[in-house]
Amino acid sequence: MKQMLYQAMKRVRPTMSAYDEALVWCVLLLVSIGLVMVYSASIAMAEVDKDTGFRSTYFLIRHSIFLTVGLSAGFAVFNVPTKLWQKYAPQLFIGGVVLLALVLVPGIGREVNGSRRWLSLVVINLQPSELMKFFAVLYAADYTVRKAGSMGGDFVESVTKVLLPMGLVMAVVGSLLLLEPDFGAFAVITAIAMGLLFLGGFNWRLFAGLFMFLAAAFVGLVVSSPYRMQRVLGFLDPWKDPYGKGYQLSHSLIAFGRGEWKGVGLGASVEKLSYLPEAHTDFLMAIIAEELGFIGVAAVVLLFSFLVCRAFQIGIQAAKLERLFQSLAAQGIGIWFGVQSVINMGVNMGLMPTKGLTLPLLSFGGSGIVANLLAIGVLLRIDYESRQMIRGGR
């Protein structure tokens, strides 16, 4: 049966490339847009900040270095067989948990703006929560494969052998992330884990109940924390307190309004002149909207849509070739990029409360860029192996 499937695929795509060229170009376009917009969004701040040495190119140079490291790491990962990622997925996940714990140790973790999310590596700061998203994809895919026999079982088996172990793991990771605090990373990792369980065939009735429980838990987390509650209230009506809780969102919306259809022009943003905080990280999309307008925003949305769709298509193709781990890992990467980009764009547009999540592949941040490009390397490798199997019939 598998041999017949290989031959059928070979007849359909006789001139198939060795790798997904369209996906590579999509990623290169996104990182190129990010490089240009990070420079544009940060130039004014860099010129007046003594920490940057008053150098306008400070963030441009650092972002270029991060991209070089990330692209090199992605290329290296592309040359690693996916079976090795499956084999070492639990160990990598445990290593990620250890890093999350180290962040909270005084003297080791670095605190910025009231959040303790970074480990100082002298030259750069490592943000473990970004790497944890990558490790979570690999672990959740491997976990789902190992528990495949219990996924569609009776209630007791599904709960005791699938749900409870994953629940305990997510509780540990969630507790560490909320202590930083990094609610956004917790939301993304939870979406990855739950999405892969669902795609792996988990009992849909239990899944629906679990989804309702998680929704209630998230509401409880918001209500129980004045910090998170203030963010939600500021999101609902940013103009009620435009100089306080609604400051970031109100200026983000002003940027979108100024951009209109074609934008005010590259480099001509007003909001980046110290009005909009985190313009080169969390709110980069607002600067894209202001300078490039609706056309620029639509282009970025379409590129992300293509990236996510390709990730799921690669996953579906791997599933047809009976490569379950690879299939779930590819779709997990799609969930990661899809959920995080939607949250970031939603925050920038005032559709969601601020979460502290960057825009994948575009926003400034070394750990995020490297983690994103590692995931792209794995995704391309999964597709490459599938193409090799179709060509060789192995």
Side-chain angles (χ1 to χ4, degrees), residues 208-263:
L210 181 61
F211 181 81
M212 294 175 64
F213 171 78
L214 287 175
F218 275 117
V219 172
L221 286 172
V222 171
V223 174
S224 64
S225 170
Y227 166 75
R228 288 188 283 269
M229 194 66 180
Q230 286 180 1
R231 285 198 165 192
V232 172
L233 292 176
F235 144 73
L236 292 174
D237 188 4
W239 308 109
K240 185 177 181 180
D241 186 13
Y243 299 105
K245 295 188 293 287
Y247 183 79
Q248 281 182 307
L249 180 53
S250 61
H251 279 278
S252 180
L253 293 175
I254 290 171
F256 270 87
R258 291 191 75 246
E260 298 185 348
W261 286 95
K262 297 181 181 179

Side-chain angles (χ1 to χ4, degrees), residues 48 51-52 82 125 133-134 144 161 203 213 263 304 350 352:
V48 299
D51 293 333
T52 66
T82 54
N125 293 318
K133 296 169 189 174
F134 176 59
T144 303
K161 293 186 177 181
N203 188 307
F213 171 78
F304 272 112
M352 296 181 182

Side-chain angles (χ1 to χ4, degrees), residues 182-315:
D182 195 344
F183 188 77
F186 180 43
V188 172
I189 291 173
T190 300
I192 292 169
M194 298 309 301
L196 291 187
L197 283 180
F198 178 75
L199 291 171
F202 187 64
N203 188 307
W204 71 269
R205 294 182 180 85
L206 275 175
F207 186 86
L210 181 61
F211 181 81
M212 294 175 64
F213 171 78
L214 287 175
F218 275 117
V219 172
L221 286 172
V222 171
V223 174
S224 64
S225 170
Y227 166 75
R228 288 188 283 269
M229 194 66 180
Q230 286 180 1
R231 285 198 165 192
V232 172
L233 292 176
F235 144 73
L236 292 174
D237 188 4
W239 308 109
K240 185 177 181 180
D241 186 13
Y243 299 105
K245 295 188 293 287
Y247 183 79
Q248 281 182 307
L249 180 53
S250 61
H251 279 278
S252 180
L253 293 175
I254 290 171
F256 270 87
R258 291 191 75 246
E260 298 185 348
W261 286 95
K262 297 181 181 179
V264 297
L266 186 63
S269 166
V270 171
E271 287 301 319
K272 70 182 181 185
L273 304 178
S274 300
Y275 291 104
L276 179 60
E278 311 298 337
H280 61 306
T281 56
D282 299 355
F283 284 89
L284 184 66
M285 194 65 171
I287 303 303
I288 293 174
E290 186 178 7
E291 295 190 350
L292 305 181
F294 174 81
I295 295 174
V297 172
V300 172
V301 171
L302 287 174
L303 286 171
F304 272 112
S305 299
F306 177 80
L307 173 58
V308 173
C309 286
R310 278 302 299 145
F312 276 90
Q313 288 170 355
I314 290 170

Side-chain angles (χ1 to χ4, degrees), residues 21 55 60 69 84 91 116 174 201 275 312 324 373 387:
E21 296 176 359
R55 291 173 293 166
L60 172 64
V69 173
L84 287 179
Q91 291 89 328
R116 189 180 290 274
Y275 291 104
F312 276 90
L324 184 55
L373 291 172
R387 291 171 186 243

